[in-house]
Amino acid sequence: MICSSQLSQPMNGLKEIVETRNFKAWLLDQYGVLHDGKKPYPGAISTLKNLATAGAKIVVISNSSRRASTTMEKLKGLGFDPSFFTGAITSGELTHQSLQRRDDPWFAALGRSCIHMTWNDRGAISLEGLDLNVVENVEEADFVLAHGTEALGLPSGSVSPMPLDELEKVLEKSAARGLPMIVANPDYVTVEANVFHIMPGTLASKYEELGGEVKWMGKPHKMIYESAMAIAGVVNPSEAIAVGDSLHHDIKGANVSGIESIFITGGIHGNELCLTSFDETASLDSVKTLTAKHKAFPSYVLSSFKW
């Protein structure tokens, strides 16, 4: 575990690390690093190409509640060449595999009936192949599955749009019954085209406040980093480096996993660092203050994903 860090001065680009360090696996967050949900960040595609050309095994490691294949399709649609990636792992993929295999005692003990919190405008999440029975009444449920924050899944497979405060009422009833909850996306918020969206991690945090048990899938937990390293074919954490814009999820997760990390300041923490334009360099003092606040310690600091 990495519990502290001597931050380097903000760097000019990834080339400095590639030329001085021999990291085999590069674990890249997507939102806030490669793209903003709608378009790639300036220079991100060429930087990815340079990194792949240098021989890096690049794995996308994301708290998306969607399957890994969907993430790769999205990246391709945004203009990223799929051949540059060794693979991808998402919190949604981990959730799907865990519910499907049930080889973990915690998952094996779950029933088959669930309350499903999902997306509406952003596109509902399919539960195909999981042998689950989606129910509307908390009294009939064995657990709560949170993929999104916009709707409640229906037994028919369709969804019923529901505001956040109504979903929280469902959580109150679920917590009172002692139902366990699986959160397929631990992020609290995400930034898409400069607009903040509430994510399932916010519901999970609320559920814990209510006394409910939550199974957090994805960053900052070690399991997803181990999966990403396995995809890249490395075993030793010293051979990997993670790149992300969230101190709580990306950098803290790397710390927990004993992996070095690069903090991209222009993402989700941009406002806290008083940044007003893309690729603006944050002051080292402001970065140190913010990392201390979050108890997350990056090895390097970079304004954006650039070469």
Side-chain angles (χ1 to χ4, degrees):
M1 178 181 290
I2 297 173
C3 300
S4 64
S5 175
Q6 293 296 319
L7 278 175
S8 64
Q9 291 291 331
M11 303 166 55
N12 293 318
L14 298 184
K15 185 179 180 181
E16 295 177 40
I17 299 180
V18 172
E19 292 179 343
T20 58
R21 303 291 301 275
N22 187 31
F23 293 113
K24 295 179 181 178
W26 286 70
L27 315 182
L28 307 184
D29 180 37
Q30 54 166 338
Y31 286 89
V33 175
L34 297 175
H35 61 82
D36 67 357
K38 299 294 184 182
K39 63 183 185 301
Y41 287 117
I45 291 177
S46 61
T47 297
L48 187 74
K49 180 179 180 180
N50 288 333
L51 191 58
T53 302
K57 299 292 186 182
I58 303 171
V59 178
V60 174
I61 178 170
S62 172
N63 273 356
S64 169
S65 49
R66 301 186 188 281
R67 301 289 303 277
S69 58
T70 303
T71 289
M72 294 307 297
E73 289 169 7
K74 181 178 181 69
L75 288 168
K76 182 180 180 180
L78 290 172
F80 293 94
D81 188 335
S83 69
F84 294 152
F85 299 100
T86 302
I89 186 68
T90 65
S91 51
E93 183 68 35
L94 281 180
T95 301
H96 188 94
Q97 291 178 6
S98 297
L99 284 169
Q100 190 173 57
R101 295 172 183 168
R102 295 187 177 241
D103 50 5
D104 175 272
W106 193 91
F107 282 92
L110 288 177
R112 294 286 177 178
S113 297
C114 71
I115 293 288
H116 187 211
M117 296 182 175
T118 186
W119 299 113
N120 181 42
D121 296 336
R122 298 168 69 91
I125 305 289
S126 172
L127 303 181
E128 185 178 355
L130 296 181
D131 191 25
L132 293 178
N133 177 34
V134 175
V135 297
E136 294 180 72
N137 298 320
V138 170
E139 292 74 17
E140 301 173 6
D142 298 313
F143 66 98
V144 179
L145 176 58
H147 275 112
T149 63
E150 296 175 342
L152 206 60
L154 300 176
S156 64
S158 60
V159 302
S160 175
M162 188 171 288
L164 204 61
D165 59 338
E166 290 298 318
L167 288 176
E168 289 183 350
K169 290 178 182 177
V170 175
L171 291 182
E172 290 173 1
K173 294 179 181 178
S174 301
R177 282 204 62 221
L179 301 183
M181 177 189 205
I182 303 169
V183 58
N185 181 335
D187 284 352
Y188 299 123
V189 295
T190 193
V191 182
E192 189 169 286
N194 295 320
V195 177
F196 279 81
H197 296 275
I198 300 297
M199 303 304 281
T202 297
L203 293 177
S205 181
K206 172 69 174 179
Y207 202 59
E208 286 189 331
E209 290 176 8
L210 293 168
E213 177 190 7
V214 175
K215 188 72 167 179
W216 295 83
M217 308 297 291
K219 299 177 289 187
H221 302 281
K222 195 173 181 179
M223 179 182 176
I224 195 169
Y225 288 87
E226 292 174 338
S227 296
M229 288 172 58
I231 292 171
V234 301
V235 176
N236 194 327
S238 66
E239 296 181 297
I241 187 166
V243 185
D245 69 315
S246 169
L247 288 169
H248 177 77
H249 294 102
D250 301 309
I251 306 307
K252 185 170 287 186
N255 292 166
V256 168
S257 304
I259 296 172
E260 292 198 49
S261 59
I262 302 171
F263 173 39
I264 303 297
T265 57
I268 202 166
H269 294 292
N271 289 338
E272 292 175 271
L273 293 168
C274 301
L275 303 179
T276 58
S277 61
F278 178 78
D279 203 23
E280 182 181 348
T281 300
S283 73
L284 192 58
D285 284 343
S286 65
V287 171
K288 285 182 176 179
T289 299
L290 194 62
T291 58
K293 173 185 174 183
H294 287 270
K295 295 182 174 62
F297 306 101
S299 312
Y300 304 95
V301 180
L302 196 58
S303 57
S304 65
F305 184 70
K306 59 183 180 180
W307 189 248

